[in-house]
Amino acid sequence: MLIKESFGPSDFERLVDEENATASRLIFTDQSILDIEQEKVFTKAWLYVGHDTEIPNVGDYVTRQMALDPVILVRAEDGKPQVLLNSCSHRGTQVCGTDVGNTKGFVCPYHGWVFGLDGGLKATADDMDLYEGKVDFKTLDLTKAAQVGSYAGLIFATWNEEADSLEDYLGDARWYLDLFHNRTPEGMEVLGPPQRWVVNTNWKLGAMNFAADGPHAVQVHGPITAATFNVPPSIFRDALVDSPAVSMGNGHNGIFTQIPEVLKDQVPPYLGTYPDLIPVLESHLDPKQTELNRHLLAGVTTMFPNFSSVQGAITFDNESLPVNFLGIRVWQPISATETEIWNWFLVEKEAPQEWKESAAKAGVRTFTPCGTFDQDDAEAWVAINKGISGTMSRKGDINFQMALAYRDKTIPDFPGPGRAYPSNYGEVTEFDVLLEWQKYMKT
Amino acid sequence: MTSTVSETEYRELSNFLFAEADLLSDHNYVEWEKLLAEDLHYKIPIPQFLEQKGARQIGTIGTDNYNDNIDSMRIRLNLLKNPATTTSERVRSLLNHVVGNVLVSKVSDNEYECKSTITVHRTRFNQKHPTTISGRRTDLIRRTDIGFQLVKRHVKLTQAILMTSNVSYFF
Ligand code: FES
Ligand SMILES: [Fe+2]
């Protein structure tokens, strides 16, 4: 039995060591730290809840999680997305028990209280008058998120009334989100409902891996990259070593892997893009965004705390042209060592149906629990959890010290905002997620 | 055209499904690949929980755990045949594919629709309890000169949230 420590704000100063680029192993295994995170991170930050195209019409809803809290994302009568705690104000029952639907309101399955699309209590079945006027029903609406906002179709919510607006929270990261979510006039749509699976690991390991971990890619994904992209691991490695990683501010980070120099003559620009959309992309994005986008092989990002995305171009028959998949996911904490991944794929609304099907297949075969990339990543994260949970093995640090070599090397003339570093291998951006986490935990 | 089958045909098709499951449990992907038709479609969608009233779909394509043709299946199999190339099976899992409820009907001169249930138990090294996932399969199986071949497989899983870090095996 491990002795439980109790952690106060000042402890988080030492649990992540900025100077030394290390972090205590405890922050990935200790349940009391996860409990503190729930309050300090997940009730304070903006959290991803769903895509605009998942709830196109008034009354459309989906049920989601904001960390441990079940919520309903619904398009209210005013046409705006609304986020309601999925917990009845009477006895706490979940008022909505399905994945997706359309409704005029929510009827609690226990005693039949009825709530409108805005969460307002409409009726307590036929029992209203039995309360003899002693209860103020106005106080019994469903709890609403303090703020709901959306950017490029991505809907976020926060329980924090004092949080900056979503625009300010995303800040410079919007410039990078545009590359994936705001690259055509009509924007992106989800291809299907979310896929969900549970991995025995801490949510931060996933968020950090997508922020992103360059050095694992050749070791873990070298063979599948060789098989699907016809690129030998050495060239893949060079591409990663020479491609930029960006800290966008507010804990948002990512890597933008470029087509290797030696292949630029053979590989057409905008690899994986539907050909007719290439001129559309070029005119919709600004020239500096285009500069980063033109020879993009893969882009992997995490918006703090737990919303990530991955794009890559892939072909599974070595004959047809590669097709981009764009996956987005949320790393939902369940416990210190369990994470539920929610995963969606997106495509340009303007793309023809056939292309959308290809994009879905490219995604399913790569970044899902049955996907040829993801299945190997998850294996490593579980192995970390196993490797750091003992009496001796939980002592000491997790190491990001490649950052010591790279953190002062920013690219001066980089086209995008934020701090850009010259290598996907730098570990600076991956570690930056923990530095942001530390800020929240210290308050 | 759907018609009932003879005892012999039922036995042949059942044996095919049992032998196929045995190859999968043995990680014998070299032999399993030979059972796949060139026009293979292997699909395992994710289940959804919907209200009767107000049911609607998200997106126009849907979401699958598997959606493979022979080309993408071969890429998967090439990784699995050489476990050094995939972390998730570098150390082989213990697998047990249990087939049941086999129902066979003939849908053309040389093709059969076979329904069956499949339960796969999988244990990774270092794992105390197996991960068990089950589903209801609908297969299209073709009689050819070189034996039966799997043309289509559609599996309805009985689990929406997969309680496992990866599914690098088949149903
Ligand atoms: S718990 Fe919801 S109506 Fe009583
Ligand atoms: Fe990875």
Side-chain angles (χ1 to χ4, degrees):
Chain A
M1 183 66 191
L2 299 172
I3 298 159
K4 274 255 180 281
E5 288 191 47
S6 58
F7 300 96
S10 62
D11 292 304
F12 293 102
E13 191 67 54
R14 72 181 163 84
L15 289 171
V16 180
D17 184 342
E18 176 167 10
E19 194 43 47
N20 204 33
T22 55
S24 164
R25 295 177 167 206
L26 287 178
I27 69 172
F28 303 100
T29 54
D30 190 281
Q31 186 59 33
S32 61
I33 291 180
L34 186 115
D35 296 340
I36 299 168
E37 278 172 356
Q38 292 305 309
E39 202 59 48
K40 300 243 174 189
V41 176
F42 290 99
T43 69
K44 296 292 186 290
W46 282 89
L47 306 177
Y48 183 74
V49 286
H51 199 267
D52 210 50
T53 57
E54 289 185 280
I55 49 164
N57 302 309
V58 169
D60 284 352
Y61 69 86
V62 288
T63 48
R64 291 292 145 86
Q65 291 290 129
M66 288 171 74
L68 297 177
D69 288 307
V71 297
I72 306 167
L73 168 64
V74 58
R75 191 163 305 276
E77 255 116 35
D78 61 2
K80 294 208 179 94
Q82 181 79 252
V83 173
L84 309 170
L85 196 60
N86 190 1
S87 174
C88 182
S89 48
H90 189 212
R91 298 272 209 284
T93 314
Q94 283 201 356
V95 295
C96 183
T98 46
D99 290 338
V100 50
N102 177 281
T103 188
K104 292 199 160 59
F106 300 98
V107 182
C108 180
Y110 200 4
H111 311 94
W113 286 19
V114 180
F115 301 91
L117 297 179
D118 60 352
L121 178 63
K122 289 222 156 111
T124 60
D126 23 344
D127 309 338
M128 227 124 176
D129 48 339
L130 298 180
Y131 282 89
E132 296 186 347
K134 291 195 188 298
V135 173
D136 179 5
F137 291 112
K138 285 197 197 71
T139 64
L140 291 172
D141 293 347
L142 294 179
T143 300
K144 281 184 210 171
Q147 302 185 55
V148 179
S150 75
Y151 184 76
L154 306 166
I155 305 172
F156 294 80
T158 177
W159 302 113
N160 182 1
E161 268 165 37
E162 274 133 47
D164 291 343
S165 69
L166 178 66
E167 292 221 319
D168 290 343
Y169 179 83
L170 292 174
D172 283 342
R174 288 173 296 169
W175 192 92
Y176 295 95
L177 284 172
D178 285 349
L179 301 182
F180 308 114
H181 297 283
N182 190 16
R183 59 194 179 195
T184 62
E186 288 182 40
M188 306 297 281
E189 66 180 42
V190 288
L191 289 163
Q195 187 167 16
R196 297 161 64 180
W197 68 104
V198 174
V199 179
N200 290 333
T201 198
N202 187 277
W203 67 272
K204 293 191 287 299
L205 288 168
M208 281 162 29
N209 176 280
F210 274 59
D213 190 302
H216 87 289
V218 173
Q219 168 72 15
V220 176
H221 308 306
I224 180 65
T225 308
T228 49
F229 198 67
N230 262 335
V231 178
S234 64
I235 291 184
F236 182 43
R237 181 179 182 278
D238 291 347
L240 292 160
V241 171
D242 295 334
S243 291
V246 182
S247 274
M248 308 162 198
N250 293 350
H252 313 315
N253 288 277
I255 57 171
F256 301 87
T257 312
Q258 303 287 306
I259 303 285
E261 271 311 319
V262 294
L263 293 179
K264 269 191 185 152
D265 303 340
Q266 303 157 47
V267 178
Y270 300 100
L271 189 73
T273 304
Y274 180 64
D276 291 3
L277 284 177
I278 292 174
V280 180
L281 252 66
E282 291 213 298
S283 65
H284 195 74
L285 292 171
D286 81 36
K288 286 192 177 282
Q289 288 171 316
T290 294
E291 201 182 316
L292 187 58
N293 210 23
R294 186 177 292 123
H295 298 292
L296 198 64
L297 172 64
V300 194
T301 61
T302 290
M303 301 293 123
F304 188 84
N306 63 338
F307 174 66
S308 294
S309 91
V310 53
Q311 175 178 288
I314 205 148
T315 170
F316 276 84
D317 58 17
N318 283 327
E319 276 164 26
S320 38
L321 276 180
V323 174
N324 265 334
F325 60 88
L326 173 60
I328 58 172
R329 61 176 54 188
V330 181
W331 313 93
Q332 295 290 9
I334 297 176
S335 74
T337 55
E338 286 169 293
T339 301
E340 183 174 329
I341 302 173
W342 293 57
N343 192 69
W344 298 256
F345 293 103
L346 307 178
V347 72
E348 291 88 355
K349 282 184 190 163
E350 291 94 335
Q353 199 67 6
E354 230 171 83
W355 187 266
K356 290 177 182 174
E357 273 167 30
S358 301
K361 283 182 202 153
V364 163
R365 295 167 184 175
T366 50
F367 279 90
T368 68
C370 312
T372 46
F373 284 75
D374 234 325
Q375 62 193 21
D376 292 340
D377 281 317
E379 201 66 20
W381 304 329
V382 173
I384 293 176
N385 176 32
K386 288 206 169 103
I388 63 175
S389 296
T391 309
M392 290 306 293
S393 59
R394 71 180 185 142
K395 293 177 181 159
D397 296 326
I398 281 188
N399 182 300
F400 301 91
Q401 289 182 316
M402 189 83 87
L404 303 183
Y406 279 99
R407 66 187 172 194
D408 298 323
K409 281 187 204 152
T410 49
I411 306 174
D413 51 351
F414 193 71
R419 291 169 66 82
Y421 304 92
S423 177
N424 288 183
Y425 267 60
E427 297 185 350
V428 186
T429 55
E430 189 174 9
F431 187 56
D432 188 67
V433 176
L434 288 186
L435 294 177
E436 188 71 13
W437 177 86
Q438 183 183 40
K439 282 184 207 156
Y440 280 76
M441 296 296 274
K442 279 196 315 199
T443 58
Chain B
M1 131 190 174
T2 304
S3 61
T4 50
V5 294
S6 68
E7 279 298 315
T8 314
E9 284 171 307
Y10 182 81
R11 177 51 60 197
E12 285 178 315
L13 269 304
S14 301
N15 282 349
F16 173 77
L17 293 176
F18 298 150
E20 187 232 330
D22 203 50
L23 290 174
L24 287 175
S25 294
D26 276 343
H27 299 269
N28 190 343
Y29 300 111
V30 174
E31 291 304 314
W32 190 67
E33 186 182 338
K34 295 178 186 162
L35 306 181
L36 305 177
E38 285 300 310
D39 51 343
L40 175 75
H41 188 196
Y42 183 92
K43 187 172 162 90
I44 308 184
I46 61 159
Q48 283 266 297
F49 294 95
L50 302 173
E51 292 264 25
Q52 306 270 316
K53 222 178 113 202
R56 64 182 187 91
Q57 292 296 329
I58 295 175
T60 57
I61 306 291
T63 304
D64 301 301
N65 290 301
Y66 278 97
N67 188 357
D68 284 88
N69 59 15
I70 192 71
D71 294 321
S72 61
M73 185 57 93
R74 285 200 172 116
I75 285 187
R76 292 179 184 280
L77 295 177
N78 286 342
L79 292 177
L80 291 168
K81 282 177 203 166
N82 175 10
T85 60
T86 172
T87 327
S88 61
E89 284 295 334
R90 184 162 298 159
V91 178
R92 293 289 199 203
S93 309
L94 299 176
L95 287 171
N96 186 8
H97 288 70
V98 184
V99 179
N101 292 29
V102 178
L103 298 168
V104 181
S105 55
K106 197 162 188 176
V107 291
S108 78
D109 283 348
N110 62 344
E111 288 178 330
Y112 299 86
E113 185 189 88
C114 295
K115 290 187 169 189
S116 60
T117 57
I118 181 80
T119 303
V120 186
H121 307 283
R122 178 206 197 200
T123 311
R124 299 283 292 124
F125 77 100
N126 230 340
Q127 188 186 344
K128 291 186 185 106
H129 304 289
T131 302
T132 297
I133 300 176
S134 73
R136 301 168 67 201
R137 303 191 299 192
T138 303
D139 297 339
L140 184 69
I141 294 171
R142 184 180 295 146
R143 190 192 289 277
T144 75
D145 297 342
I146 51 165
F148 288 114
Q149 288 203 312
L150 182 65
V151 184
K152 276 187 202 159
R153 172 158 290 167
H154 185 277
V155 190
K156 284 186 191 165
L157 293 185
T158 40
Q159 206 172 315
I161 306 171
L162 299 176
M163 299 302 287
T164 178
S165 46
N166 50 37
V167 182
S168 47
Y169 53 95
F170 304 101
F171 292 87

